[in-house]
């Protein structure tokens, strides 16, 4: 079955550590996205990628980095520069960057201790 | 004004009731509209796209009113399993999908 796989589902991090969240899709979608969700807030866009080897900052990119070396993969690194990283992180994809619905992975819940 | 606004609720309704949610958007150039359902601590899942002429999927009906810049979702014959948060999503034809904060629905036995 086609879909998006995120790992890990739950992650605990000490302050000052970088962590990388994995996102893999087998939907053959060109566009991939990373969102952050905090309680009581809508999803906020961190980074997006229209195509391999290209990615753009979203609304809240500070303290995050991404790469898109393969069409299937769009990992997100939460760096120590991110001041409030505890959140629910959602990876999504769409056929192209501005059309069609978004398909989401199951999410990664990051807690900073 | 927020780009996409929803009443956060909660809407508490008895089983079998009909309930409707609205979502207003500020960008008149918006082109694509969606309703997603999100269960507690889970990812959003597409409920339905919203087409200009309105569309229906079983007990769910979505409408678009471009003149007043809102979309609506009607749920008939509510089930306990409909309890969730319903997210309105708008795409103005760019990379950016804009999410509302969601409307929480509780269907009561």
């Amino acid at each position: 079955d086609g879909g998006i796989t995120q790992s890990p589902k739950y992650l605990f991090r000490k302050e000052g550590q970088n962590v990388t969240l994995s996102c893999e899709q087998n939907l053959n979608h060109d566009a991939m996205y990373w969102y952050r969700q905090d309680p009581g807030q809508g999803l906020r866009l961190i980074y997006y990628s229209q195509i391999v080897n290209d990615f753009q900052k979203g609304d809240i990119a500070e303290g995050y980095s991404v790469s898109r070396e393969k069409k299937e993969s769009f990992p997100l690194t939460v760096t120590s520069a991110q001041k409030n990283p505890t959140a629910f992180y959602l990876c999504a994809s769409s056929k192209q960057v501005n059309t069609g619905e978004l398909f989401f992975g199951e999410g990664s819940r990051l807690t900073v201790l | 004004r927020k780009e996409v606004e929803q009443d956060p609720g909660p809407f508490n309704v008895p089983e079998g009731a009909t309930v409707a949610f609205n979502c207003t958007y500020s960008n008149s150039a918006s082109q694509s509209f969606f309703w997603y359902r999100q269960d507690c601590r889970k990812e959003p899942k597409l409920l339905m796209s919203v087409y200009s002429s309105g569309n229906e999927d079983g007990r769910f009906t979505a409408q678009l009113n471009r003149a007043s810049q809102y979309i609506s979702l009607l749920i008939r014959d509510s089930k306990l399993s409909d309890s969730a948060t319903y997210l309105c999503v708008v795409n103005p034809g760019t990379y950016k999908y804009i999410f509302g904060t969601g409307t929480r629905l509780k269907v009561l036995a």
Side-chain angles (χ1 to χ4, degrees), chain A residues 10 33 35 37 40-43 45 48 59 88 90 94 96-106 109, chain B residues 31-32 34 36 38 40-46 49 87 89 91 93-102:
Chain A
Y10 300 94
Y33 312 79
Y35 290 92
Q37 187 175 36
Q41 295 197 37
L43 276 70
L45 182 64
Y48 71 100
D59 299 320
F88 187 41
L90 288 157
S94 64
Q96 292 174 334
V97 78
N98 61 356
T99 59
E101 64 263 32
L102 288 173
F103 294 81
F104 285 90
E106 292 186 338
R109 197 166 294 276
Chain B
Q31 299 183 7
S32 304
F34 309 91
Y36 279 75
Q38 187 174 27
C40 189
R41 300 177 74 82
K42 300 280 190 180
E43 77 277 21
K45 291 185 179 174
L46 180 69
S49 302
L87 303 177
V89 183
N91 187 320
T94 68
Y95 66 90
K96 194 170 180 178
Y97 291 78
I98 303 165
F99 289 77
T101 53

Side-chain angles (χ1 to χ4, degrees), chain A residues 7-104:
Chain A
S7 64
K9 266 192 165 176
Y10 300 94
L11 185 61
F12 297 89
R13 181 194 105 174
K14 291 183 181 178
E15 280 194 33
Q17 286 181 333
N18 291 357
V19 293
T20 297
L21 308 180
S22 168
C23 177
E24 304 276 330
Q25 55 102 355
N26 60 5
L27 298 166
N28 199 31
H29 284 173
D30 286 326
M32 296 186 75
Y33 312 79
W34 274 104
Y35 290 92
R36 169 182 172 140
Q37 187 175 36
D38 294 283
Q41 295 197 37
L43 276 70
R44 292 183 290 167
L45 182 64
I46 304 172
Y47 268 97
Y48 71 100
S49 168
Q50 300 185 63
I51 200 168
V52 176
N53 292 322
D54 177 73
F55 51 82
Q56 306 295 331
K57 292 182 180 180
D59 299 320
I60 56 164
E62 187 175 347
Y64 300 98
S65 66
V66 293
S67 63
R68 186 89 187 272
E69 295 175 4
K70 297 187 298 183
K71 186 175 186 176
E72 304 79 26
S73 179
F74 192 41
L76 174 74
T77 297
V78 185
T79 75
S80 55
Q82 168 50 231
K83 291 177 183 170
N84 186 18
T86 294
F88 187 41
Y89 290 89
L90 288 157
C91 180
S93 72
S94 64
K95 214 163 186 183
Q96 292 174 334
V97 78
N98 61 356
T99 59
E101 64 263 32
L102 288 173
F103 294 81
F104 285 90

Side-chain angles (χ1 to χ4, degrees), chain B residues 45-95:
Chain B
K45 291 185 179 174
L46 180 69
L47 181 65
M48 56 200 303
S49 302
V50 185
Y51 302 119
S52 297
S53 54
N55 47 302
E56 191 174 304
D57 183 1
R59 298 182 293 109
F60 300 86
T61 300
Q63 297 278 350
L64 167 63
N65 185 317
R66 285 194 183 273
S68 302
Q69 293 181 209
Y70 73 87
I71 65 172
S72 64
L73 178 68
L74 181 81
I75 305 175
R76 288 182 298 276
D77 188 23
S78 298
K79 313 286 185 197
L80 293 174
S81 57
D82 293 333
S83 297
T85 297
Y86 291 84
L87 303 177
C88 168
V89 183
V90 175
N91 187 320
T94 68
Y95 66 90

Side-chain angles (χ1 to χ4, degrees), chain A residues 42, chain B residues 2 4-9 11 21-25 34-36 71 85-89 98-104:
Chain B
K2 286 185 182 176
V4 174
E5 287 198 79
Q6 295 183 253
D7 182 338
F11 284 58
F21 313 132
N22 279 348
C23 165
T24 59
Y25 60 94
F34 309 91
W35 283 104
Y36 279 75
I71 65 172
T85 297
Y86 291 84
L87 303 177
C88 168
V89 183
I98 303 165
F99 289 77
T101 53
T103 297
R104 197 164 157 218

